[in-house]
Amino acid sequence: ERMSQILNNRAVPLGGFLPPGIPGDNPDVLPDAYDPEAAKALLAQAGYPDGFHTTLLSNTDPISVDESQAVINDLAQIGIQVDLTTIDNAQFLDLLVSKPDDLDMVMTSWFMDYVDPSDNWEPLLQCGGSYNWAKYCSQDLDAEFAKANLLPQGDARWKAFASFEAD
């Protein structure tokens, strides 16, 4: 909700990978609750009972910097200390493309090129996606995505993606 405030109410919390109103969005997939204590427990379970230290890279766009500072404040509440590094956008994009493995965290934005679920999954979350800087990869979800993505635009496709988003 804080991001929505920073963006002058032009954003909504997401539970899945699709924004509301995009065909295939599943309105039953709700955002995780803000729960710092549960997050601390998960960190301890992962072997970081005292948190850790990392760096967040952002471009110098004032909105990106504000978003970064909000994330840093939230992470500090659960013991993750984050240093913010800001650089001009040309350098920022060059690092994202040429040296993504050198980066701990980045603050970036995504704007859909076309109104279809594939425009979020393929580049951002698919194994090896061109903008999947975090290297998230689930072969099982990619296989399910591939099945839904074969369907032509229409109700069957949107239902398949709504089911996919719930997984």
Side-chain angles (χ1 to χ4, degrees), residues 6-70:
I6 290 169
L7 296 170
N8 296 315
N9 295 317
R10 292 175 294 166
V12 294
L14 297 181
F17 74 102
L18 292 174
I22 298 298
D25 170 50
N26 187 332
D28 296 330
V29 179
L30 302 175
D32 292 331
Y34 178 76
D35 188 345
E37 293 308 313
K40 287 179 189 177
L42 288 172
L43 277 172
Q45 206 174 34
Y48 297 96
D50 299 318
F52 59 91
H53 189 264
T54 190
T55 302
L56 173 62
L57 179 69
S58 173
N59 63 28
T60 56
D61 175 77
I63 292 173
S64 294
V65 173
D66 287 348
E67 291 171 329
S68 297
Q69 291 170 336

Side-chain angles (χ1 to χ4, degrees), residues 62-140:
I63 292 173
S64 294
V65 173
D66 287 348
E67 291 171 329
S68 297
Q69 291 170 336
V71 168
I72 289 168
N73 288 336
D74 284 350
L75 292 174
Q77 292 181 34
I78 62 171
I80 299 174
Q81 301 305 309
V82 182
D83 294 327
L84 176 61
T85 301
T86 59
I87 57 177
D88 72 62
N89 202 52
Q91 291 175 301
F92 177 77
L93 294 174
D94 182 55
L95 280 174
L96 282 176
V97 173
S98 65
K99 297 181 181 181
D101 293 340
D102 293 350
L103 306 172
D104 293 339
M105 294 172 52
V106 297
M107 177 58 69
T108 187
S109 300
W110 180 255
F111 300 91
M112 293 182 77
D113 297 314
Y114 49 93
V115 182
D116 187 84
S118 64
D119 190 44
N120 277 13
W121 186 265
E122 286 174 325
L124 301 174
L125 297 166
Q126 187 173 43
C127 300
S130 56
Y131 290 88
N132 186 350
W133 321 126
K135 296 187 176 4
Y136 173 81
C137 185
S138 169
Q139 298 290 339
D140 292 341

